[in-house]
Amino acid sequence: MNVATVAAYIDGFNLYYGMKNKYGRRHMWLDVVELVRQLKPKDTVTAVHYFSAIVKNEPVAAQNQTSYIDAMKVRNGDLLHVHLGRFKERTIKDCRRCGKSYTCSCGRQYRSYEEKGTDVALGAMMVADAALRIADTTLLVSADTDLAPRAGHR
């Protein structure tokens, strides 16, 4: 029997928030390479690409995230490839639901951050690796609708 190979591509923030919403803090230090091995137990894992970005303006969260990534690198060596995007600051102008302004009475505007460069980098890496035939199977771990096939397209 031939053993198939698998390369996995993981949307880190999407996985983190999905696991946190479903399981709370129980899987905060999830080993993503082991996750892939459990999802594809009959296959040989050739590479796991983990895409994320380090949070901004939250020093404790950023340090926890960096420690998590460093621990995964130490545990998994050359199997794990970490690709970091960035966060872009944006000003929230008005509530999309009610239309009220997010500017407080003192004139301060509320800000948020959006992850940039992750989805495109993940998709480009999947296509490049498929062209290079680095594995028999490609596994995408994400619930991001931007990465889902569109109706009528495959």
Side-chain angles (χ1 to χ4, degrees):
M1 178 174 113
N2 289 339
V3 175
T5 56
V6 63
Y9 304 81
I10 298 174
D11 181 340
F13 263 101
N14 188 275
L15 176 63
Y16 169 80
Y17 284 109
M19 296 297 283
K20 186 176 176 188
N21 286 340
K22 182 152 179 98
Y23 301 106
R25 300 184 61 82
R26 189 167 44 177
H27 298 292
M28 298 296 280
W29 286 78
L30 179 68
D31 181 343
V32 294
V33 173
E34 185 58 30
L35 172 67
V36 173
R37 286 185 177 126
Q38 289 184 23
L39 291 171
K40 302 295 286 176
K42 295 180 181 174
D43 295 343
T44 300
V45 177
T46 59
V48 174
H49 294 274
Y50 181 81
F51 294 81
S52 192
I54 304 299
V55 295
K56 280 185 115 172
N57 291 335
E58 296 182 43
V60 173
Q63 182 56 53
N64 288 342
Q65 191 178 9
T66 301
S67 295
Y68 168 65
I69 290 169
D70 290 345
M72 283 198 305
K73 287 179 182 178
V74 168
R75 180 174 172 89
N76 295 295
D78 293 338
L79 273 181
L80 180 69
H81 307 274
V82 176
H83 308 273
L84 295 176
R86 62 184 174 81
F87 276 97
K88 178 181 174 185
E89 185 175 303
R90 67 184 186 104
T91 301
I92 301 173
K93 297 189 183 332
D94 298 321
C95 175
R96 291 182 181 159
R97 182 177 279 166
C98 71
K100 287 191 178 184
S101 174
Y102 279 97
T103 304
C104 81
S105 60
C106 72
R108 181 175 170 261
Q109 290 185 319
Y110 292 92
R111 301 195 183 286
S112 73
Y113 298 94
E114 59 185 333
E115 189 180 21
K116 302 301 280 180
T118 301
D119 293 352
V120 172
L122 188 152
M125 177 77 58
M126 285 178 72
V127 171
D129 286 354
L132 294 171
R133 300 180 194 270
I134 70 155
D136 301 316
T137 302
T138 298
L139 177 67
L140 172 62
V141 179
S142 178
D144 188 337
T145 56
D146 288 342
L147 299 174
R150 301 292 182 243
H153 295 87
R154 287 192 166 218

